Structure formats: structure tokens, C-alpha cells
Amino acid sequence: MKKKEIILKAENVTKYYGQEKVLDIEQFNLYQNAFNFLLGANGSGKTTLLRILSLVDKDYNGQLSYCGKEINKQESELLNLRRKFSVIWQEPYLYNKSVADNIGLPLKLRKKSKNCIKNKVAELAKELKISHLLDKNSKQLSGGEKQKVSIARALITEPEILFIDEPTTNLDYKSNQFFNELFTKLVAKGVTILLITHDLYQIEKLAEYITILKQGKIVINEHKEQVLNEGELEGNNIIGQKLVFA
Amino acid sequence: MGYIWGGIKQAIALIIQLDPEVVEIVWTSVKLSTISTLLASIIGIPGGIAVSKIDFKGKYLFDTILNTLLSLPTVVVGLAVYSLISYRGPLGQLELLFTGKGIILGQVILILPIIVALVRNAIHEIDDRIYDTAISLGATGTQRFRLLISEARYGIMGAVVAGYGRVIGEVGVSMMLGGNIRRVTRTITTAIALETNKGRFSFGIALGLILLSISFIVNFLIYYLQTGDKE
Amino acid sequence: MNFMNNKKKLILVLVLTVLVSSFSFVVVEAKSGDRLILATTTSTENSGLLNELLPPFEEKFGVRVDVVSVGTGKAIRLAENGDADVILVHARKAEDKFVNEGYGVNRRSVMYNDFIILGPKSDPAGIKGMQDVTKAFQKIAESNSEFVSRGDDSGTNKKELSIWKKAGIKPDDSWYLETGQGMGASINVANEKQAYILADRGTYLAYKGKIDLAIVTEGDPLLYNPYGIIPVNPALYSHVNYQLAMSLVGYITSQQGQGIINDYTKYGKKLFKPLAIKPGNLE
């Protein structure tokens, strides 16, 4: 088992909501070109950590580094990095525009030409089997359709790192399968994925690296096999055990 | 009853024949209201956005005052602005009294609080997720702001239309600052208020019908803008 | 979706059209020439006389006369604040005070008409045909018949109050109703209440046929209602358009102006009699 490079690292990161410390991370590694899973009970700080790692939330203490280089909190540097990342939210927000405009929005923000946006949107929509939705207004979509559109919107920039927060809640079994395969293909192409999930099947099939959060602290942040080995040493299935409370 | 029907019949005739005086008065009203609303919007839309986004000391008091100003009586505005632009007032030298500009000044003051408050509400009503989403999509500060405004567009347009509805139907400001001068500051409402004193009932009814139609269109627009994004 | 977009575009085009044309008119309006602000009473404006009297003057002098019609009291206050160039009002005492205090100069008498008392056909105070207006007022008070007052400090209101004073009555009982509104609106109130009211003849003629009130008292010299024109004192307010105001005074008291006043009829009746030139001396 060859250990992969670390693309994003968090050290001594703490986050408070008022007086309450909700996150206390000594060290967290996000492994490049891998399927990283972030697990933990509700309220354990998964989404909070995801917002910090994806540079959406910069209101924290501690240090992040990208490819070994420390990230300062200057807006220009943050913007540069954010544009290499994409986030798929658990409850996506779509703008009050057409589906096509929503999917093309990140490219528009990056000042791509209209033609380029149009072609890319059409191509991606076809791949994700949502071409029939393109002309609709986002408000007309069902929950599952919204999630599919938000996935397309996240993928259109061909991100280096894809942060995904329990995307499958709103999706049916078939779509679920479809996206699991899609994400696997992306990793194979070199994309790094951080995925928050409760889905044991997904973990078993897809996980490469596993991180478990408990009350804001990291319990495990290692390769799946290592986690399993440790588990065997202790005579039980650590993932399963850790997830029972989840 | 007979003379009411007679009045309405004559009124409709006045409208259909495009009676020059009726047309002139309606045009004056539309013109002044449009300019007032536009100016109030230019100040009020950024103002409303600022109020919704910026926290400052005494904001609670500010909001309370703003909400009070929403129901500002037109005659109070008229009186206050009269004392400002009367020749003896601090702005007397500008000679705004009894001109369209005077009416516009009063109307802007009248609807500025309305536009500010409604724009503020429109921004408040936007889903908080818009902020995280915009950041994660790689929007710059300016782009985030533009996305925010774009999402609030129906609410903002609704605020502007509501302001228009208020000024086109108000009489206090137009009367006190405009003086109901024929061909200059005689608006639909001041004409209705004063021309009926001359016994020109059908004339008043004609203007009333037109005002009703304008109000209907305005309210239809508000309704359309409020529901347009939910269909 | 496309249909919605088209509708939106239509609305946008509509709004833009109104906007652009509004502003183009503002630009045009800004070019208009001299203006003279004439503050006058609602009864004068309501009579329609000014629409006949002013256009020849406007044409001759290339000026626009902006008529602001309010109650006499308010017209005088506007002039005192320097917000009008000239006033045409009917309340002799207040006019003299206005001149004596230095607000106005060169008052000239213009014309007169008369006040009348209107009342319900049932005539509960029994004053129909009475000429003595003071006695009529006393009878109204004695019989507790409802009486509508304008209560707006207008010339008519001032006249009414002076008659009550002469009659030795302080009208503050429940039969005395103050509207605080113009002549027409007050006549309407009196009509609804079937009450007595002091009105100017011009406004009454405009309402005749639409109300169930009739003239009960007329002809008392007390009901004489003279109008005066007074330019605002240029020594007090240098910004007022004194030259044009004096031109207007000259025009209105000229053969031409007085002739128009003498010939003016409404509903087939003459409304005003000229005062500056005796009718016999009119050409």
C-alpha cells in the first residue's frame, strides 16, 4: 500500500460558535487523487470542517496548507484556491435563473465566453442526463433534480478538489449508483474528493481514506486498510463501531 | 342616481376622445411620479441594501424609525418640505415651490423610507445559503454582491413599483408643494380634489377612472413580481 | 418560459418608454420663460373667470401666470412668506392689514360679487326672503338649525364670522359645523345635512341643479364681496416679479381686463361686476 501525497492539510484548527468550541483539530490530511471519506455522528463537526477546508469559512484559528504551502487569509489567494475547488452542498442553493444559467454560473464568474459556457453546459448536462432540465427555472425542480443540477454546477469547472456533503439524501437509488460511479471515475482521472456520508455501502465500496470526527476532534485520519487492520488488532470493526453511533 | 350615470358616461367620453386637458393632467402625474420614483430608487435601493447588510449602533432604533416613516402622512411631508422650500426657508433661493421639482422633492422624501424598507426586507428574505454558495462557486466580492442583488431583483422591483403606486395616488404633497397650477403642477389627484369644486364632476370621474386603472396596473405588477419567481 | 420572458421584456420596454419621455419633457419644460405666481382664492379660480382673463395677458407679455388657488388667509400667508408675486383675494380687512404691514403695495380694487345664504327648501329657521342677513343669522341660531361653516380662514369664512359677530352670537353649539374645506366641498356637506350655509354666488351657480339647497337670503349690503389685487412689496422681497405683477394689475384694471370681467358669464348669468372702471364707462 503506497501512501498518497497530501494536497490539503489542517493543523491546530479550532472553531468556536460563541463560547462553544465546535472544532479542535490537531492535524488533518486530505490525500491527493483519492476518495477521502469524512464520517461522524450528527453534530460532530463534519460540515464545519468541510466549510473550513473548502475555504468558504475563514473565521477559524489555525493553519491550512495547500501542497505544502501555507494558505494566508488574503482574499486574492483564497479566491485563487477556491476556484480550484468545488462544493456540493447537502441542501444546494440554486439561483433564481434557468438551470442552464445555474450550471454555467461558475464559468461566467471566471469570465469565460458565452459560447464556451453554452457548449460546456450542454456537454455536461448530456453526460449527467439532465439535458431536458436546461430550460426550466431552478424553482420548478424537484429536490433530486436540484441536487443533480448542483452536482453539474460543481463539476463544470473541473475542480482539483471536490467537497461533497451527503449528496445522496435527495437522490433515488439509481441516481445514487450513477453518481457513485461518476465520482469514482473522477478520482481515477486525478480528482481529490472529500465526501461526508452515512452510507455504509458507499464507505465499503469507495472509501480510500477515512476520517472520523467525534465531538469536534479527529479520532482517525488514515487509509481504510490501516483502519481495518487496527480494528482487527483490537478484535473488532472500528468503522462499523464508530458508525454505530452515527 | 341619474346624474351619477350621466357623469360616468361623460367621463368615459372624455377618456375615449382623449380630452386634451385630461391627457395633460394624466401626463403631468405620470411624469412627476416616474421621476420621483426613479430618484427615490437611485437613493433608496443602495440605501436599503446598506441597511440590510451593515450593522451599526442604534440599528434597532433606526429600523423602528424607518418603519414609522412608512406610514408618513403626505400632508406632513408637504408641510415639512414647504417650510424648507418656502422663500423664507433654508432652500428658498432655489425657487422650488409651486414647481414640478418641488413636488418631486416632496415625493422622493415620501417614498424613500418605503423603498429603503422594502429593499431591506427583500434582501433579508433571501436564503442564507446564497452566501456560502456564491463563495464556493468562486465569486469575487463584487460578483457576490451582484448575485445577491440579482436574487433580490423581484423584491427590489416590487419596492420600486410600490413607491410608484404611493406617489401617483398621493394628494397632500402635490397640493401643498405644487399648488394645483393648470398645465404645470395639476396632477390627477389635485385636479380631482379641486376641480369637483367647480362642479366638473364628469371631469373628476374621468380622472378617477384613469387613476384607478393606473393603480390596477401598478398592483398587478406588484403581484406579478411577487409571484413571478415562484411559478 | 419564453412566454414569461416576452412579458417581462414588454414590461421593461413600457417602463423605459415612460422614463425616457418623462425626462425629455423635463428638459423641454426647463426652457419655459418667465412665470408669475398669482395666489388667489378657490372661489375665484372655481368661477372659471381666470381662464378667460389671463390668456390675453400671458400672450401680450410672453409670460406664464401660475395660479395657486387656496383660501384667502392662506393666499395672504403665501405672499407674506415671499412665495407668491401677486394676490387676488376678497377680504378687505385682511388686505388692508397685509398692505399696512408692508407685505404688499399698490392695492387696486378689481371687481365684486355677492354672498348668499343657501338653505333647505323646508326652511326650518323661517328666513326665506329675508334681506337682513344679521337677523337671518340670529334666527338660524335661535332655531338651532344646522349651519355649515368653511372654517378655513378663507374670505368667505372671514365674512361669515364678521356677520356672527355683528349678530352678537358666538357660534360654537352642536348645530354649527366647521368643514375646514373649500366652498364646493362645504356646499356638498350642507346639502347632505340639509343645513344653511354662506356661499359665494359663483360657486353656488356651479352647483345649482346638483343640490337640494336654494337661495334664502340675498341682497344685504353686508354681503357685498369685493376683490382686490395686491403685488408683493419688492422692497421686502427682491426676488418677486414686481414688474410683471404691476403689469398684471395694470391689465386687469384696464378697459380690456374690466371688459372681460363684465362680460363673463357662467350658466347664463353674470358673475362679477367691475370696480376699477364703472360699467357705464366701459367701451
Side-chain angles (χ1 to χ4, degrees):
Chain A
M1 182 190 70
K2 199 178 105 205
K3 203 158 187 172
K4 288 185 172 171
E5 297 280 326
I6 295 167
I7 187 166
L8 199 61
K9 191 198 273 183
E11 284 170 295
N12 302 317
V13 167
T14 56
K15 165 94 187 167
Y16 287 84
Y17 283 142
Q19 295 290 319
E20 196 192 348
K21 195 184 217 177
V22 291
L23 213 56
D24 184 5
I25 309 279
E26 263 176 55
Q27 190 181 334
F28 167 83
N29 299 330
L30 185 68
Y31 293 94
Q32 189 164 14
N33 185 16
F35 221 135
N36 298 263
F37 272 56
L38 181 56
L39 316 175
N42 286 332
S44 61
K46 301 186 299 284
T47 301
T48 309
L49 181 59
L50 180 141
R51 291 179 75 238
I52 290 172
L53 292 171
S54 61
L55 306 179
V56 166
D57 182 4
K58 56 178 186 176
D59 182 23
Y60 61 89
N61 298 311
Q63 186 62 54
L64 296 189
S65 32
Y66 171 78
C67 295
K69 189 177 168 293
E70 293 195 341
I71 300 173
N72 67 39
K73 285 186 184 175
Q74 265 174 2
E75 193 53 37
S76 59
E77 181 166 337
L78 290 177
L79 184 69
N80 266 334
L81 286 172
R82 277 187 206 128
R83 289 190 167 181
K84 296 177 182 175
F85 304 166
S86 277
V87 184
I88 297 168
W89 302 99
Q90 182 174 17
E91 305 229 353
Y93 180 83
L94 297 182
Y95 291 89
N96 191 355
K97 305 165 181 284
S98 72
V99 166
D101 285 348
N102 264 286
I103 298 176
L105 183 60
L107 295 181
K108 199 177 159 200
L109 295 175
R110 287 160 178 76
K111 308 238 153 73
K112 296 280 189 272
S113 76
K114 266 190 184 168
N115 242 334
C116 160
I117 296 175
K118 203 180 149 199
N119 293 335
K120 274 203 152 182
V121 168
E123 195 183 318
L124 185 61
K126 199 176 161 200
E127 197 184 327
L128 300 187
K129 298 176 180 144
I130 50 173
S131 299
H132 60 288
L133 299 177
L134 285 181
D135 285 337
K136 284 194 177 179
N137 185 286
S138 63
K139 306 276 168 190
Q140 297 167 295
L141 303 182
S142 71
E145 287 170 333
K146 278 183 186 164
Q147 189 56 278
K148 285 179 191 173
V149 170
S150 89
I151 291 173
R153 184 174 67 182
L155 295 181
I156 196 141
T157 57
E158 299 174 9
E160 265 181 44
I161 307 179
L162 189 56
F163 296 90
I164 311 174
D165 191 354
E166 294 197 66
T168 54
T169 331
N170 283 319
L171 295 177
D172 56 74
Y173 177 75
K174 234 175 110 185
S175 308
N176 237 321
Q177 288 288 32
F178 176 80
F179 282 108
N180 280 339
E181 276 167 37
L182 181 80
F183 294 147
T184 313
K185 268 189 238 164
L186 286 174
V187 174
K189 276 191 203 162
V191 176
T192 304
I193 292 182
L194 177 71
L195 177 79
I196 295 177
T197 187
H198 288 291
D199 184 342
L200 285 169
Y201 176 82
Q202 263 186 325
I203 301 167
E204 200 178 322
K205 281 279 186 194
L206 306 174
E208 229 176 313
Y209 286 86
I210 288 181
T211 303
I212 297 180
L213 268 180
K214 189 178 178 188
Q215 289 167 357
K217 291 192 171 159
I218 291 199
V219 185
I220 286 169
N221 173 212
E222 285 178 88
H223 196 278
K224 182 166 85 177
E225 284 175 23
Q226 203 151 349
V227 180
L228 291 175
N229 289 341
E230 274 175 31
E232 272 163 11
L233 283 176
E234 288 171 24
N236 52 32
N237 182 340
I238 287 218
I239 304 174
Q241 188 202 29
K242 297 290 177 195
L243 287 175
V244 165
F245 59 75
Chain B
M1 274 311 278
Y3 94 91
I4 295 180
W5 278 116
I8 291 175
K9 263 190 227 155
Q10 280 179 37
I12 290 168
L14 281 173
I15 297 171
I16 291 170
Q17 291 158 10
L18 291 176
D19 176 77
E21 201 177 350
V22 170
V23 170
E24 187 168 47
I25 289 170
V26 170
W27 176 238
T28 304
S29 265
V30 169
K31 182 180 72 184
L32 293 174
S33 306
T34 306
I35 298 170
S36 305
T37 310
L38 190 81
L39 292 179
S41 302
I42 290 173
I43 311 167
I45 294 174
I49 295 166
V51 170
S52 71
K53 291 280 108 191
I54 302 169
D55 268 316
F56 50 87
K57 231 181 162 182
K59 179 140 185 215
Y60 180 74
L61 185 69
F62 180 88
D63 278 345
T64 311
I65 292 173
L66 187 63
N67 290 336
T68 310
L69 293 183
L70 287 183
S71 47
L72 208 57
T74 57
V75 284
V76 172
V77 177
L79 197 61
V81 176
Y82 170 76
S83 52
L84 268 183
I85 65 177
S86 162
Y87 186 74
R88 279 184 172 176
L91 301 178
Q93 304 289 339
L94 301 175
E95 301 201 4
L96 296 173
L97 191 63
F98 303 138
T99 66
K101 288 182 196 126
I103 295 183
I104 289 170
L105 178 65
Q107 290 185 335
V108 166
I109 291 172
L110 179 70
I111 59 166
L112 195 55
I114 296 175
I115 294 186
V116 168
L118 291 182
V119 167
R120 174 198 61 187
N121 295 351
I123 302 273
H124 277 169
E125 271 167 24
I126 291 176
D127 198 313
D128 278 339
R129 290 174 298 167
I130 187 180
Y131 302 104
D132 279 1
T133 305
I135 293 174
S136 72
L137 292 180
T140 65
T142 328
Q143 287 174 333
R144 267 178 256 159
F145 181 72
R146 275 171 36 195
L147 279 172
L148 176 70
I149 302 307
S150 152
E151 282 303 275
R153 62 192 183 275
Y154 292 111
I156 292 174
M157 283 189 270
V160 172
V161 174
Y164 191 82
R166 175 92 163 125
V167 287
I168 194 103
E170 70 83 25
V171 61
V173 168
S174 305
M175 188 70 92
M176 295 181 80
L177 303 178
N180 187 43
I181 297 169
R182 197 163 73 103
R183 304 203 155 164
V184 184
T185 55
R186 184 163 296 172
T187 64
I188 297 178
T189 51
T190 61
I192 292 175
L194 288 186
E195 295 306 283
T196 47
N197 275 347
K198 299 181 187 172
R200 303 171 71 188
F201 292 109
S202 48
F203 189 76
I205 293 171
L207 290 174
L209 288 175
I210 292 171
L211 186 63
L212 265 178
S213 322
I214 295 177
S215 297
F216 175 79
I217 294 170
V218 165
N219 280 299
F220 177 78
L221 275 179
I222 292 179
Y223 175 80
Y224 178 71
L225 290 173
Q226 279 170 350
T227 54
D229 54 334
K230 291 185 185 101
E231 285 170 325
Chain C
M1 191 60 212
N2 271 332
F3 174 63
M4 235 166 92
N5 267 337
N6 281 338
K7 267 206 291 187
K8 272 181 199 160
K9 269 177 201 153
L10 197 76
I11 289 170
L12 195 75
V13 167
L14 210 110
V15 169
L16 279 179
T17 317
V18 173
L19 265 181
V20 170
S21 37
S22 294
F23 274 89
S24 59
F25 263 72
V26 167
V27 175
V28 171
E29 196 184 60
K31 285 182 195 154
S32 63
D34 269 339
R35 76 189 289 230
L36 186 71
I37 300 178
L38 168 66
T40 186
T41 70
T42 42
S43 58
T44 317
E45 238 268 298
N46 289 353
S47 70
L49 170 68
L50 295 177
N51 291 345
E52 300 273 318
L53 189 56
L54 293 178
F57 172 78
E58 289 180 309
E59 202 171 310
K60 200 182 268 179
F61 287 84
V63 60
R64 197 181 80 205
V65 180
D66 284 351
V67 178
V68 179
S69 57
V70 284
T72 290
K74 184 146 185 239
I76 289 176
R77 267 196 303 284
L78 281 176
E80 284 175 356
N81 286 341
D83 292 325
D85 298 308
V86 55
I87 58 175
L88 175 60
V89 294
H90 59 114
R92 190 59 204 258
K93 265 191 190 162
E95 290 169 44
D96 289 344
K97 189 164 163 262
F98 178 72
V99 173
N100 289 337
E101 286 173 357
Y103 292 111
V105 288
N106 297 333
R107 180 194 179 279
R108 294 291 306 273
S109 292
V110 174
M111 60 193 185
Y112 71 94
N113 65 357
D114 64 339
F115 293 112
I116 47 183
I117 300 180
L118 302 177
K121 297 202 170 94
S122 60
D123 192 22
I127 57 173
K128 194 165 174 94
M130 235 178 187
Q131 242 212 3
D132 187 335
V133 69
T134 319
K135 280 220 176 96
F137 266 43
Q138 280 164 342
K139 284 193 97 171
I140 290 171
E142 279 161 19
S143 62
N144 280 341
S145 307
E146 284 192 326
F147 183 94
V148 170
S149 164
R150 282 175 63 177
D152 63 348
D153 198 25
S154 61
T156 311
N157 186 219
K158 282 175 197 283
K159 169 64 75 180
E160 177 216 315
L161 293 176
S162 74
I163 299 172
W164 285 120
K165 207 173 165 190
K166 192 151 179 278
I169 293 162
K170 234 182 145 192
D172 53 5
D173 256 329
S174 61
W175 53 267
Y176 186 74
L177 311 165
E178 286 181 273
T179 62
Q181 296 190 63
M183 193 72 255
S186 299
I187 289 179
N188 266 334
V189 173
N191 185 43
E192 295 302 324
K193 297 253 170 202
Q194 285 294 294
Y196 292 99
I197 184 169
L198 182 76
D200 68 277
R201 194 179 288 272
T203 310
Y204 164 69
L205 286 177
Y207 273 75
K208 200 180 162 189
K210 288 162 190 141
I211 52 171
D212 284 328
L213 297 176
I215 298 176
V216 288
T217 299
E218 61 184 328
D220 189 314
L222 257 185
L223 295 177
Y224 173 66
N225 181 24
Y227 287 73
I229 188 166
I230 318 173
V232 173
N233 186 355
L236 186 62
Y237 291 118
S238 57
H239 71 283
V240 296
N241 210 335
Y242 179 68
Q243 291 295 332
L244 270 173
M246 279 311 288
S247 304
L248 182 68
V249 172
Y251 163 77
I252 286 183
T253 54
S254 71
Q255 281 284 348
Q256 187 185 5
Q258 295 283 296
I260 291 174
I261 291 170
N262 192 42
D263 295 342
Y264 183 70
T265 58
K266 199 172 184 187
Y267 308 102
K269 300 208 170 171
K270 289 200 175 189
L271 273 191
F272 300 99
K273 297 204 173 66
L275 265 181
I277 300 175
K278 284 189 181 132
N281 295 337
L282 282 172
E283 287 161 358

